[in-house]
């Protein structure tokens, strides 16, 4: 077990102290710019004298950051609520498949994945009724390990859910993070990924298929901290009704990190006039020899494709479903054949 990684895990007392310092999330905090923060209930342990404004972010953000350096409310919430960490070591060279499911409102999972291991992790929902749920995952990935993390659960109507991932990758480590969300309420997935070793790769793919009053939010921060690291972000959204999605993605390339390659692309199809999407790409690059791109498209179903299908006798509704299914499946087609790809494609 990586002793330094485990030693840095925060305690409940540290998490509460830091939350009181940070204060409740506010819209003027860049971490929560698009989130309906008024919907977050104030925990009892916050008391009445917590900070009135967001605390300043630390100058450094080490993976599995100590509580006094953590800046994300959602990352600290499970620990402050006494979630006992489920700590698991996966030995070097192992091949494992696992399903992770939180057994109450707040969960905390710590995984130390050894060198060269091949791991598939599916995250399942806890459907027990509660007003708020929050999970945190601290994942240390050893050299040349290959890891896939995914979830594609049926639509869930829990009022408010947070999931926070802190991923630390050594040299040559490959992590694929993929998800499908069909939830009908409010949720936020936050990912902080540190590419700390040369040749590490992080691949992120998400699909939101939302209707009604659903409000789902994604925040990613990817730190390229070593040469020749790569990251890919592809987020796609199919939005109906008054559904709302936000995507806040940051890529930070450090000094002396030559040969970095990073891409971010967000594609959204609005299926109603009241649906909306907000996208905020951020690039902070401190080295010249890098290739970093970002893009964002918003539109409707392609009129020419619709005309082509309908003109050949396909009913309009069936044609719409064909185009939406194709748009969704393209998100995950590049993935290698694996349990993740099979599960994601079958859920579509």
């Amino acid at each position: 077990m990586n002793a330094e990684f485990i030693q840095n895990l925060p305690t409940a007392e540290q998490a509460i102290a830091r939350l009181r310092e940070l204060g409740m999330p506010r819209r003027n905090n860049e971490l929560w710019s698009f989130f309906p923060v008024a919907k977050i209930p104030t925990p009892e342990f916050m008391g009445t004298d917590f900070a009135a404004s967001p605390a300043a972010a630390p100058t450094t953000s080490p993976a599995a950051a100590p509580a006094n350096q953590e800046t994300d409310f959602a990352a600290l919430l499970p620990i402050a609520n006494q979630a006992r960490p489920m700590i698991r070591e996966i030995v070097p060279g192992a091949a494992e498949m696992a399903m992770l499911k939180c057994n109450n409102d707040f969960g905390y999972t710590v995984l130390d994945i050894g060198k060269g291991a091949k791991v598939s992790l599916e995250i399942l929902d806890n459907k027990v009724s509660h007003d708020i749920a929050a999970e945190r995952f601290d994942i240390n990935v050893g050299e040349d390990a290959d890891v896939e993390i995914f979830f594609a659960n049926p639509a869930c109507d829990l009022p408010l859910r947070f999931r926070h991932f802190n991923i630390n990758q050594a040299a040559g480590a490959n992590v694929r993070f993929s998800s499908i969300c069909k939830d009908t309420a409010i949720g936020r997935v936050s990912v902080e990924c540190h590419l700390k070793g040369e040749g590490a790769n992080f691949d992120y793919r998400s699909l939101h298929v939302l209707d009604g009053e659903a409000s789902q939010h994604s925040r990613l921060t990817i730190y390229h901290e070593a040469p020749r690291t790569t990251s890919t972000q592809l987020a796609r959204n199919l939005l109906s009704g008054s559904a709302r999605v936000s995507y806040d993605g940051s890529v930070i390339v450090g000094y002396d990190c030559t040969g970095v390659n990073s891409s971010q692309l967000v594609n959204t199809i609005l299926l109603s006039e009241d649906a909306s999407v907000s996208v905020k790409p951020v690039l902070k690059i401190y080295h010249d020899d890098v290739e970093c791109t970002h893009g964002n498209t918003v539109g409707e179903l392609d009129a020419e494709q619709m005309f082509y299908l309908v003109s050949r006798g396909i009913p309009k509704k069936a044609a719409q479903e064909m185009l939406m299914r194709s748009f969704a499946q393209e998100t995950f087609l590049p993935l290698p054949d694996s349990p993740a790809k099979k599960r994601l494609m079958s859920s579509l």
Side-chain angles (χ1 to χ4, degrees):
M1 182 73 72
N2 187 317
E4 182 181 357
F5 178 67
I6 299 301
Q7 185 179 3
N8 279 336
L9 300 182
T11 65
E13 292 76 15
Q14 292 172 331
I16 291 172
R18 180 57 172 162
L19 282 173
R20 289 173 60 81
E21 180 184 357
L22 290 170
M24 292 296 293
R26 300 174 187 272
R27 294 294 289 271
N28 63 345
N29 182 330
E30 66 175 11
L31 295 178
W32 300 89
S33 301
F34 304 117
F35 194 87
V37 294
K39 300 291 186 180
I40 305 175
T42 302
E44 291 184 7
F45 56 71
M46 293 291 285
T48 58
D49 59 344
F50 53 82
S53 61
T59 56
T60 58
S61 297
N68 63 358
Q69 294 183 357
E70 182 60 72
T71 59
D72 197 319
F73 176 91
L76 294 165
L77 192 59
I79 301 167
N81 277 281
Q82 309 290 330
R84 294 186 59 186
M86 190 282 286
I87 301 176
R88 173 73 189 281
E89 178 183 14
I90 298 177
V91 299
E96 294 200 16
M97 295 174 56
M99 294 182 179
L100 304 177
K101 183 176 182 180
C102 181
N103 60 8
N104 52 39
D105 295 359
F106 301 98
Y108 184 20
T109 300
V110 179
L111 298 175
D112 191 15
I113 299 173
K115 179 178 180 179
K118 296 186 180 298
V119 179
S120 177
L121 301 172
E122 181 174 9
I123 298 171
L124 304 178
D125 285 348
N126 177 358
K127 294 299 183 66
V128 177
S129 180
H130 37 230
D131 293 331
I132 182 171
E135 299 171 81
R136 170 171 170 152
F137 300 83
D138 286 344
I139 304 174
N140 188 62
V141 184
E143 291 183 9
D144 299 320
D146 186 86
V147 178
E148 60 179 17
I149 304 165
F150 65 99
F151 47 95
N153 296 295
C156 179
D157 59 358
L158 294 178
L160 181 61
R161 188 214 308 275
F162 298 119
R163 276 190 175 134
H164 179 82
F165 296 82
N166 195 325
I167 302 172
N168 179 19
Q169 295 180 226
N174 184 39
V175 173
R176 296 179 299 280
F177 186 109
S178 308
S179 66
I180 296 175
C181 177
K182 302 177 182 179
D183 292 352
T184 60
I186 301 172
R188 178 178 184 264
V189 173
S190 49
V191 180
E192 186 172 302
C193 178
H194 296 258
L195 301 172
K196 303 185 76 68
E198 184 171 346
N201 172 66
F202 179 71
D203 182 280
Y204 174 92
R205 297 173 186 273
S206 69
L207 173 69
H208 287 89
V209 184
L210 305 182
D211 197 358
E213 300 290 332
S215 178
Q216 297 293 324
H217 306 267
S218 303
R219 174 162 179 90
L220 273 75
T221 306
I222 301 174
Y223 295 89
H224 288 264
E225 301 175 4
R228 286 169 283 282
T229 50
T230 57
S231 64
T232 303
Q233 300 173 61
L234 175 60
R236 288 196 159 187
N237 308 300
L238 286 164
L239 307 181
S240 305
S242 299
R244 185 178 179 216
V245 160
S246 74
Y247 190 89
D248 190 341
S250 297
V251 173
I252 302 171
V253 180
Y255 297 99
D256 301 322
C257 293
T258 186
V260 164
N261 189 301
S262 176
S263 66
Q264 177 193 109
L265 179 60
V266 181
N267 303 129
T268 303
I269 293 179
L270 300 178
L271 302 170
S272 68
E273 292 184 357
D274 295 328
S276 63
V277 61
S278 301
V279 178
K280 186 177 78 173
V282 176
L283 296 176
K284 297 181 180 180
I285 302 171
Y286 300 100
H287 195 277
D288 293 335
D289 184 18
V290 302
E291 183 176 345
C292 296
T293 64
H294 66 83
N296 175 40
T297 65
V298 181
E300 302 174 346
L301 289 175
D302 189 281
E304 292 186 2
Q305 293 178 348
M306 281 292 299
F307 176 79
Y308 177 86
L309 294 172
V310 172
S311 67
R312 278 150 181 77
I314 299 175
K316 181 178 179 180
K317 184 176 181 180
Q320 289 175 331
E321 292 176 349
M322 289 175 63
L323 292 180
M324 288 189 292
R325 186 179 302 110
S326 176
F327 176 83
Q329 289 176 338
E330 287 175 357
T331 311
F332 307 110
L333 282 175
L335 293 174
D337 292 335
S338 66
K341 184 174 183 178
K342 182 177 180 180
R343 177 75 178 90
L344 293 162
M345 297 298 279
S346 67
S347 72
L348 300 174

